[in-house]
Amino acid sequence: MTETNKNLSDTYALSVFQALRRLQQSAEVHAKRLSRYGGLTPLQLLILQVLAVEKELTASQLARFVSLSPASLSGVLERLEGRGMLSRRRDEQDRRKQWLVLGDAGREALGEAPPLLPDHVLQRFASLPEWERHALLAGLLRAAELFEMPEQANGAG
């Protein structure tokens, strides 16, 4: 790599990292605010919202939706199930398969919960032109893909 390319690469790396750090800091502050509400973590709130939209999912399907390994998701599901926020239902055709369904307490918690994103972010996002909302979302999704390990990006692992 030539010196010019290295400098350019370093500049991009620094700028990308600084932007990610600002996003991370803002997300952490908001996560603390969210967790003060009803003791739900942002991840738990996300899981409940996904179940509200999708109606029922298997644990492996839900793990993909929320970007967690099934093993990591297991403990979160147990805590939510223990609080009556979700329930499991056996599949009638395949008794090995269990469906996750939003429980009454989960529905109630969602009705009272603050949004996953701060109001000012939602308002600013909504005020953007549609093309810019799509571009921003596409950029965030693409950035997330870039950070995946190569074996994850190819569907392995």
Side-chain angles (χ1 to χ4, degrees):
M1 183 183 307
T2 67
E3 189 63 32
T4 302
N5 286 343
K6 181 174 179 359
N7 289 342
L8 184 62
S9 177
D10 289 347
T11 300
Y12 275 116
L14 180 60
S15 295
V16 168
F17 192 82
Q18 286 172 323
L20 288 171
R21 180 70 187 126
R22 287 178 60 196
L23 279 171
Q24 180 184 21
Q25 286 175 310
S26 297
E28 287 172 359
V29 167
H30 186 63
K32 287 178 185 170
R33 282 189 212 120
L34 281 177
S35 65
R36 281 187 228 132
Y37 159 78
L40 286 176
T41 67
L43 177 60
Q44 290 170 331
L45 190 53
L46 174 62
I47 288 168
L48 296 177
Q49 288 190 352
V50 167
L51 286 175
V53 169
E54 296 298 321
K55 306 302 181 217
E56 63 180 20
L57 292 168
T58 64
S60 59
Q61 290 170 327
L62 180 59
R64 284 190 295 278
F65 267 94
V66 299
S67 301
L68 271 183
S69 70
S72 298
L73 181 63
S74 178
V76 180
L77 293 178
E78 286 174 18
R79 285 187 288 283
L80 289 171
E81 188 176 21
R83 295 173 66 182
M85 295 196 177
L86 64 85
S87 61
R88 299 172 200 252
R89 180 184 60 78
R90 287 231 180 258
D91 189 282
E92 293 175 14
Q93 279 77 39
D94 182 351
R95 303 295 292 160
R96 296 169 296 175
K97 187 186 287 186
Q98 290 187 348
W99 294 99
L100 301 170
V101 180
L102 189 63
D104 290 338
R107 217 175 313 321
E108 186 178 315
L110 283 177
E112 299 170 4
L116 275 173
L117 295 176
D119 286 334
H120 70 277
V121 172
L122 294 172
Q123 290 169 359
R124 288 176 178 171
F125 188 77
S127 71
L128 295 173
E130 185 177 6
W131 71 265
E132 197 169 357
R133 290 192 306 263
H134 286 285
L136 183 56
L137 181 56
L140 287 169
L141 291 169
R142 185 69 170 133
E145 287 176 8
L146 292 175
F147 274 84
E148 290 177 355
M149 295 301 289
E151 59 273 8
Q152 289 175 308
N154 294 330

